Amino acid sequence: MLEKIFRATIEEYNLVKKKDRIILGVSGGPDSVCMLYQFQAIAKDYKLHLVCVHLNHGLRPEADEEERYIHSLCRKLTIPCVSEKRKVKTLYAGDSLEQTARKVRFDFFLACARRYKSKTLALAHHKDDLAETVLMRLIRGSGLRGLRGFLPRSRYKSLTVIRPMINVTKNDILAWLKDHGVSYCTDASNTDDVFLRNRIRMQVLPLLRELNPNIVDTLYNASQAIAADYEFISLVAREAFLGLRKREAGQRLYLDLEGVKKLSQPLFNNVIRTAIEELQGHTRRLEVRHLKEVYDLVHARRQTSIVDLPDLLVKKDEKTLIIQSLLL
Amino acid sequence: MLEKIFRATIEEYNLVKKKDRIILGVSGGPDSVCMLYQFQAIAKDYKLHLVCVHLNHGLRPEADEEERYIHSLCRKLTIPCVSEKRKVKTLYAGDSLEQTARKVRFDFFLACARRYKSKTLALAHHKDDLAETVLMRLIRGSGLRGLRGFLPRSRYKSLTVIRPMINVTKNDILAWLKDHGVSYCTDASNTDDVFLRNRIRMQVLPLLRELNPNIVDTLYNASQAIAADYEFISLVAREAFLGLRKREAGQRLYLDLEGVKKLSQPLFNNVIRTAIEELQGHTRRLEVRHLKEVYDLVHARRQTSIVDLPDLLVKKDEKTLIIQSLLL
């Protein structure tokens, strides 16, 4: 059953092509160990070049043992395995520990991808993870973009990130491992938000399950519907943005002011969001109230006004709306 | 403070115009009693014609007492008051009790609006209600449309429904009533989903508040952002729909098949959703998997294929996609 869902997901979203070189992010926990076996099972059919990669954050005492377990497992499965030790705490600088750990891990994945000439990273996120992620984003505050949860296929810099376990539940995984007598590390976790995620897993989801026994599927369906709507908005906004962009020079992006003025507020918001994403690569700290301020600048304020946003300035001259990044 | 938020919300969303005739839905509970006082306070400035309307569902023993309390309160405030007794249980027919109660209440509001030549119904929904509603919709399953929660201004048939308390919290309301020595009925409730809503209020929200002390504001902000995105999608989809509609005759709506074929999947979904809303007035039972089936019909299936949807058929001929309502 799990094997079927795994293959069907790969086909549905075109996650894998013949002869792909794929690096597999493996923590040693049940999800990624199961994924490792699933990839090994399809490797011949697809003629895949697999590399198992493992980052030892050195945060827990069992970490070294887990690293050894993964190496022994890969020898058994004849899959090449690379691991590395990188302490997260020493790199901590301004960002939350969580963001830092994520960045360190993805930098490691990028380095592995370069070394093994791979463009694809497979992660073992499953359906329960998705439900937890949607709830976590909702609790912390998030717009449409965050409420999509994660996607079967996404990008991180030059990497295509695939999640072929997205349609599999945690129970499916544990049952499969038990049926096949496969062992795994019980404490291994690559999630960087352990505290909040555990509370959601142990307290919030069980409570919601009492109100809706299918809550995981319900959240999964909501995130899929939201992902589709988000994609739609992005496409339309991107098109409008490209029509309004006059030029981009270094830290500045110039938009046609008259055209921007004509946008309806929802389209305006999404065009400005797209512009900021284009300029700084993300819109993590951008909030709805910031967009209201820019709208106000365009429609009501004096020409010399300046709007301060996180790491950004927005101003206007007679014919142009100027968005300027303050980061070097 | 509460008075200021109430007035600011009315101004921000243009909820009230001078000389408006407004019917106020009042259950007798703290929220609607507070709203009644707020409207009385602005009635002179706006030269409003107010009518307090109350439906006695006759479901609880205290219901008659509550009805009498509202009448005495309105005499004190010199606001005309109408009430009526309509038993919900006897009307139960197929729909859930909840849907029936809602329909009965809104039919009563519509009748009152006609009688008093009013086009506006004010309801006392507040910020905590909104947070509960968003969670309720998420738990039961909902797309973007449902996750908007309710809006400061919406429509029900010929009525404009306004919610000027939407930015006020339950605590604001209770504090205001206490400060002003105003009494209210403690069990009065016009919500039809008491069981689920109570579990959310008593169990889910307190748990989420431990994870985010500002959870009510966070959910409010998410719903506002989603409402804006939903509006954007609706606008674009409606425009595309109007361009593709060939005609509408009785129970059938005809769309240009070649044009429909050219739509990207997200736009396709929203155009079909718009068409169905146009045809039957709502899309309550429409799910993402239904839209996938219609997409499949348009792109892959034989010409004689028929897709069965709740209360609908979808089929195609050489040049037309036909959506047919099965309701009389």
Side-chain angles (χ1 to χ4, degrees):
Chain A
M1 186 61 187
L2 186 145
E3 288 91 341
K4 265 195 186 167
I5 300 176
F6 182 82
R7 277 181 185 259
T9 306
I10 284 179
E11 282 169 26
E12 182 177 355
Y13 298 103
N14 260 313
L15 300 183
V16 171
K17 291 192 309 294
K18 290 242 159 142
K19 296 192 186 170
D20 267 352
R21 306 177 69 87
I22 304 176
I23 61 174
L24 313 175
V26 172
S27 69
D31 314 339
S32 56
V33 166
C34 181
M35 181 179 77
L36 192 62
Y37 275 87
Q38 302 314 313
F39 267 108
Q40 207 230 14
I42 66 162
K44 256 196 184 160
D45 281 6
Y46 279 94
K47 300 188 186 3
L48 301 179
H49 298 267
L50 302 173
V51 184
C52 168
V53 303
H54 173 75
L55 186 64
N56 179 346
H57 282 310
L59 289 172
R60 286 171 299 107
E62 315 79 12
D64 292 341
E65 202 181 306
E66 285 160 17
E67 191 176 344
R68 281 192 295 277
Y69 172 70
I70 294 167
H71 278 282
S72 77
L73 188 61
C74 285
R75 270 194 300 279
K76 204 172 105 187
L77 298 174
T78 63
I79 293 176
C81 181
V82 210
S83 66
E84 205 173 302
K85 215 173 200 167
R86 293 196 191 180
K87 292 228 169 175
V88 172
K89 275 185 178 162
T90 56
L91 291 165
Y92 187 89
D95 268 4
S96 67
L97 182 60
E98 189 181 319
Q99 283 169 316
T100 311
R102 183 184 145 86
K103 195 177 171 315
V104 169
R105 204 167 60 252
F106 273 87
D107 281 350
F108 169 68
F109 290 148
L110 278 169
C112 292
R114 267 195 300 276
R115 189 159 12 135
Y116 294 97
K117 299 192 187 347
S118 161
K119 284 171 185 163
T120 309
L121 164 69
L123 297 176
H125 293 123
H126 51 75
K127 209 182 229 187
D128 295 68
D129 283 332
L130 184 66
E132 287 162 23
T133 300
V134 171
L135 284 174
M136 214 157 64
R137 303 262 174 89
L138 188 77
I139 291 169
R140 285 180 165 176
S142 167
L144 227 47
R145 187 188 164 91
L147 294 177
R148 296 177 304 166
F150 43 74
L151 301 172
R153 169 208 294 279
S154 59
R155 290 204 71 78
Y156 181 84
K157 295 186 180 170
S158 59
L159 277 178
T160 298
V161 181
I162 62 172
R163 295 178 175 88
M165 308 279 279
I166 198 171
N167 286 314
V168 172
T169 68
K170 186 79 178 187
N171 281 340
D172 293 339
I173 292 172
L174 295 177
W176 189 93
L177 291 165
K178 199 176 163 203
D179 288 352
H180 293 76
V182 175
S183 53
Y184 50 86
C185 311
T186 46
D187 282 332
S189 166
N190 260 345
T191 57
D192 319 305
D193 37 36
V194 176
F195 172 75
L196 181 57
R197 195 175 279 275
N198 275 346
R199 298 268 323 245
I200 287 172
R201 187 176 304 160
M202 302 302 178
Q203 300 183 311
V204 180
L205 269 174
L207 180 57
L208 299 187
R209 196 169 278 122
E210 287 177 29
L211 303 174
N212 174 0
N214 299 316
I215 187 69
V216 167
D217 279 319
T218 299
L219 291 173
Y220 176 84
N221 290 337
S223 78
Q224 296 290 98
I226 288 173
D229 285 331
Y230 181 81
E231 191 195 338
F232 175 49
I233 290 177
S234 304
L235 282 172
V236 179
R238 182 142 206 97
E239 206 169 296
F241 162 71
L242 293 175
L244 293 168
R245 178 171 63 176
K246 292 164 82 170
R247 61 201 158 94
E248 207 173 332
Q251 307 292 95
R252 291 178 182 200
L253 197 151
Y254 301 81
L255 296 173
D256 175 57
L257 186 62
E258 280 313 304
V260 170
K261 268 188 191 165
K262 285 187 196 133
L263 300 172
S264 67
Q265 175 135 26
L267 185 51
F268 174 89
N269 284 357
N270 286 296
V271 165
I272 300 299
R273 193 182 291 280
T274 305
I276 291 174
E277 174 139 31
E278 182 81 10
L279 192 63
Q280 48 174 33
H282 66 86
T283 53
R284 270 197 294 279
R285 295 169 62 198
L286 190 70
E287 297 174 22
V288 173
R289 64 185 173 89
H290 298 141
L291 294 169
K292 272 192 188 162
E293 275 198 74
V294 180
Y295 192 81
D296 194 43
L297 170 73
V298 166
H299 288 274
R301 294 201 203 164
R302 281 176 301 123
Q303 202 166 295
T304 50
S305 291
I306 291 180
V307 172
D308 272 303
L309 301 186
D311 306 331
L312 290 168
L313 283 185
V314 186
K315 51 192 179 180
K316 61 178 179 180
D317 64 24
E318 222 173 302
K319 295 187 165 175
T320 316
L321 183 72
I322 303 152
I323 306 176
Q324 181 177 348
S325 169
L326 298 177
L327 296 177
L328 293 179
Chain B
M1 188 59 186
L2 185 144
E3 288 91 342
K4 266 197 187 163
I5 300 177
F6 182 82
R7 275 181 187 261
T9 306
I10 283 179
E11 282 168 25
E12 181 176 357
Y13 298 104
N14 261 311
L15 300 184
V16 171
K17 289 191 311 293
K18 291 241 160 141
K19 298 191 185 171
D20 267 354
R21 307 176 67 86
I22 304 177
I23 60 174
L24 313 174
V26 172
S27 69
D31 314 338
S32 57
V33 167
C34 181
M35 180 179 78
L36 192 62
Y37 275 86
Q38 303 314 313
F39 267 108
Q40 208 231 12
I42 65 162
K44 257 196 186 161
D45 282 7
Y46 279 95
K47 301 189 190 352
L48 299 179
H49 299 267
L50 302 173
V51 184
C52 168
V53 303
H54 172 76
L55 187 63
N56 179 345
H57 282 310
L59 288 173
R60 286 170 301 106
E62 314 80 12
D64 292 341
E65 202 182 306
E66 285 160 17
E67 191 176 345
R68 282 192 295 277
Y69 172 69
I70 295 168
H71 278 281
S72 77
L73 187 62
C74 285
R75 270 193 300 278
K76 204 172 105 187
L77 298 174
T78 64
I79 293 176
C81 180
V82 210
S83 66
E84 205 175 302
K85 214 174 199 166
R86 293 195 191 182
K87 293 227 169 173
V88 173
K89 275 185 176 161
T90 56
L91 291 165
Y92 187 88
D95 268 4
S96 68
L97 181 60
E98 188 182 320
Q99 283 169 315
T100 310
R102 182 183 147 86
K103 195 177 171 312
V104 168
R105 203 167 61 253
F106 274 86
D107 280 350
F108 169 67
F109 291 147
L110 278 169
C112 293
R114 267 195 300 275
R115 188 155 18 132
Y116 294 96
K117 298 194 188 343
S118 161
K119 284 170 184 162
T120 309
L121 165 70
L123 297 176
H125 292 123
H126 51 73
K127 210 181 228 187
D128 295 68
D129 282 332
L130 184 67
E132 288 163 22
T133 300
V134 171
L135 284 174
M136 215 157 63
R137 303 263 174 89
L138 188 76
I139 291 168
R140 284 180 166 175
S142 168
L144 226 46
R145 185 188 167 93
L147 294 177
R148 296 177 304 166
F150 42 75
L151 301 171
R153 169 208 293 280
S154 59
R155 289 202 73 76
Y156 181 83
K157 296 187 179 169
S158 58
L159 278 177
T160 298
V161 181
I162 61 172
R163 296 179 174 87
M165 308 279 278
I166 198 169
N167 286 315
V168 172
T169 67
K170 185 79 180 187
N171 281 340
D172 294 338
I173 292 172
L174 295 176
W176 189 94
L177 292 165
K178 200 176 164 203
D179 288 351
H180 293 76
V182 174
S183 53
Y184 50 87
C185 310
T186 45
D187 282 333
S189 165
N190 260 344
T191 56
D192 318 304
D193 37 37
V194 176
F195 171 76
L196 181 57
R197 194 174 280 273
N198 275 346
R199 296 269 322 244
I200 286 172
R201 185 176 305 159
M202 302 303 178
Q203 301 184 310
V204 179
L205 269 174
L207 180 58
L208 299 187
R209 197 170 277 121
E210 287 178 29
L211 303 174
N212 174 0
N214 298 316
I215 186 70
V216 167
D217 279 320
T218 299
L219 290 174
Y220 176 83
N221 290 337
S223 78
Q224 295 290 98
I226 288 173
D229 285 331
Y230 181 81
E231 190 194 341
F232 175 50
I233 291 177
S234 303
L235 282 172
V236 179
R238 182 143 205 96
E239 207 170 295
F241 162 70
L242 293 175
L244 292 169
R245 179 171 61 176
K246 293 165 81 169
R247 62 202 158 94
E248 208 173 331
Q251 308 292 94
R252 291 181 183 196
L253 200 151
Y254 301 80
L255 296 173
D256 175 57
L257 186 63
E258 279 314 303
V260 170
K261 268 189 191 163
K262 285 186 196 134
L263 301 172
S264 67
Q265 175 134 27
L267 185 52
F268 174 88
N269 285 356
N270 285 296
V271 165
I272 299 298
R273 192 182 292 281
T274 306
I276 291 174
E277 175 139 32
E278 182 81 9
L279 192 62
Q280 46 174 36
H282 66 86
T283 53
R284 271 197 295 280
R285 294 169 63 199
L286 191 70
E287 298 173 22
V288 174
R289 66 187 171 85
H290 298 142
L291 295 168
K292 271 192 187 160
E293 274 197 74
V294 180
Y295 192 82
D296 194 44
L297 169 73
V298 166
H299 288 274
R301 294 202 204 163
R302 279 176 302 124
Q303 200 166 295
T304 50
S305 291
I306 291 181
V307 173
D308 273 302
L309 302 185
D311 305 330
L312 290 169
L313 283 184
V314 187
K315 51 193 178 179
K316 61 179 179 180
D317 64 22
E318 223 173 300
K319 295 187 165 176
T320 315
L321 183 71
I322 303 153
I323 307 176
Q324 180 176 348
S325 169
L326 298 178
L327 297 177
L328 292 181

